[in-house]
Amino acid sequence: DTGVSQDPRHKITKRGQNVTFRCDPISEHNRLYWYRQTLGQGPEFLTYFQNEAQLEKSRLLSDRFSAERPKGSFSTLEIQRTEQGDSAMYLCASSLQGGSLNEQFFGPGTRLTVL
Amino acid sequence: DAKTTQPNSMESNEEEPVHLPCNHSTISGTDYIHWYRQLPSQGPEYVIHGLTSNVNNRMASLAIAEDRKSSTLILHRATLRDAAVYYCILSVFGNEKLTFGTGTRLTIIP
């Protein structure tokens, strides 16, 4: 399967711990996005990269959140000192600049539960 | 970002057409209308998009009002696999961020 993959699919952690999620986009896609989705709501944009450059960050992305895409391929999203309010589904998507306008391909998500 | 308004939920019988409405009265001239859907326990998936003219693809049709203040996603023959949350999203050309609302939860009745 050559779709977007995310790891892990589920993560349970205690408040105050750090967590890191990984996203592997579709191989030829140069844009990568992170979204967060809480129960009953639509996904909320967090940040996006073009190649290794982080081009936009949402105000939702507090100082405890950091995202990287060091070689323009996979990306990581780290949350430091997790809080119960961080519990959500974290979705990654990718797209090809110049491809079908704004068609983003989403991964299955990482569900985070903070106890 | 311009706002969209969708009904919270809709029901349809299997094998019948479904018309999912979306209002976007503050749409600007450069906004494209996108539809995504999210099946249970999955990430969203692209359905269709358009600017001014009606659009068809293998999944659905998109009917856009002449004044562009509303649009309708049409599933021609609903199946149980079409049960999902459908999101109508406006996106300015070149703006890569997608702003999702709460969408319409579509239930298909066998």
Side-chain angles (χ1 to χ4, degrees), chain B residues 2-72:
Chain B
K3 183 176 171 58
T4 63
T5 304
Q6 300 178 253
N8 289 333
S9 62
M10 291 183 63
E11 288 185 349
S12 180
N13 294 321
E14 192 177 11
E15 298 186 4
E16 290 187 356
V18 181
H19 290 234
L20 296 162
C22 181
N23 288 321
H24 28 78
S25 58
T26 59
I27 190 170
S28 74
T30 53
D31 281 333
Y32 282 77
I33 303 159
H34 301 252
W35 285 82
Y36 279 73
R37 72 179 185 181
Q38 189 170 21
L39 279 65
S41 302
Q42 294 188 26
E45 65 173 346
Y46 168 86
V47 177
I48 201 167
H49 76 271
L51 183 61
T52 56
S53 303
N54 294 344
V55 184
N56 300 296
N57 66 19
R58 63 176 179 82
M59 289 182 70
S61 295
L62 176 60
I64 301 172
E66 193 171 338
D67 63 5
R68 300 210 325 125
K69 293 183 184 299
S70 65
S71 61
T72 302

Side-chain angles (χ1 to χ4, degrees), chain A residues 58-96:
Chain A
S58 164
R59 291 189 302 271
L60 295 173
L61 215 64
S62 75
D63 291 345
R64 297 184 297 106
F65 288 69
S66 63
E68 293 183 346
R69 194 182 184 199
K71 297 182 181 179
S73 56
F74 73 92
S75 175
T76 58
L77 178 68
E78 181 184 15
I79 309 174
Q80 296 182 326
R81 305 181 303 281
T82 53
E83 302 173 355
Q84 288 185 327
D86 297 330
S87 295
M89 176 74 82
Y90 290 83
L91 293 160
C92 176
S94 69
S95 72
L96 179 64

Side-chain angles (χ1 to χ4, degrees), chain B residues 47-107:
Chain B
V47 177
I48 201 167
H49 76 271
L51 183 61
T52 56
S53 303
N54 294 344
V55 184
N56 300 296
N57 66 19
R58 63 176 179 82
M59 289 182 70
S61 295
L62 176 60
I64 301 172
E66 193 171 338
D67 63 5
R68 300 210 325 125
K69 293 183 184 299
S70 65
S71 61
T72 302
L73 179 71
I74 302 166
L75 308 178
H76 294 286
R77 192 167 169 269
T79 70
L80 296 177
R81 289 176 295 178
D82 292 320
V85 178
Y86 287 77
Y87 297 98
C88 170
I89 301 166
L90 301 183
S91 182
V92 176
F93 180 78
N95 178 353
E96 301 296 338
K97 173 178 67 179
L98 295 180
T99 301
F100 291 80
T102 53
T104 297
R105 181 173 299 278
L106 177 64
T107 301

